[in-house]
Amino acid sequence: MIVFALRKKRRTHTYTHTHTHTNHHAYSFACCLQPKEERGRPKERFVLSVAYSPDGKRLACGAMDGTVALFDVASTQLLGLLEGHYKPVRSLAFTPDSSMLLTACDDMHVNLYDVENKALVESFSGHDSWVLSVAPHPSGTCFVSGGSDAKVKLWDLGTRTCIQTLTDHTDQVWSVAFNPDGSRLVSASDDKTIVTYSCA
């Protein structure tokens, strides 16, 4: 188990954006977009989040109604729907070994799913409001979540507990990410700041 002592490094109000153009191919992963019945009337279903598995074999998407769909990339076929959420799924990410999927939802939970068996393994609670972002550590031992409660939380996947809560932001945390070697964590918020942390 890796023990983290996260220390704030720097925050900045400067944002830059550059356009890049890439070749692309269009594929149809249609399941999440199909309406479903609710109280006798069709309910519109649309996708809010999407993620590739690191091995490139799976694609996951999260929808407004809480649906999480898992697709096979090569065939574009639906592998299954993952149950457990009932509100918008804002963010999702596979663990580095592609075996698990993390999902962040407006129901204030982060769910952990077994990809192969399409089964809910754990539901993490601790945020006081919507969970907006989630990212696994490159080691696969833990993950971080950001919420509309302005908190960033670090979770241990072994003990399945929250091991640290960071409160440097004053507004919703829309994005969290580790750098490739896991030595840095960054979070971005509606408070117009980006905060970086050192992972010791």
Side-chain angles (χ1 to χ4, degrees), residues 59-194:
L59 178 73
C61 66
M64 189 71 180
D65 65 353
T67 300
V68 177
L70 191 65
F71 294 92
D72 178 77
V73 171
S75 67
T76 74
Q77 295 300 305
L78 176 71
L79 298 174
L81 299 178
L82 307 179
E83 299 180 354
H85 290 304
Y86 60 93
K87 288 188 176 182
V89 178
R90 304 278 176 179
S91 176
L92 35 75
F94 287 87
T95 54
D97 64 1
S98 300
S99 67
M100 299 286 181
L101 178 69
L102 291 158
T103 59
C105 182
D106 283 7
D107 62 14
M108 301 189 291
H109 288 78
V110 175
N111 282 357
L112 177 69
Y113 294 93
D114 180 324
V115 172
E116 185 66 28
N117 297 307
K118 294 174 281 295
L120 178 63
V121 174
E122 187 67 70
S123 188
F124 298 86
S125 63
H127 281 281
D128 300 320
S129 188
W130 302 351
V131 188
L132 303 174
S133 51
V134 65
H137 189 268
S139 68
T141 60
C142 62
F143 70 92
V144 66
S145 61
S148 61
D149 57 3
K151 295 175 183 174
V152 174
K153 287 182 171 287
L154 185 69
W155 307 83
D156 187 297
L157 281 169
T159 62
R160 297 179 186 171
T161 57
C162 179
I163 54 177
Q164 194 166 359
T165 299
L166 306 169
T167 58
D168 296 291
H169 287 296
T170 59
D171 208 339
Q172 300 179 114
V173 180
W174 282 98
S175 186
V176 290
F178 288 100
N179 68 343
D181 68 7
S183 63
R184 294 285 187 272
L185 167 67
V186 64
S187 57
S189 169
D190 268 353
D191 64 11
K192 300 182 177 64
T193 67
I194 293 172

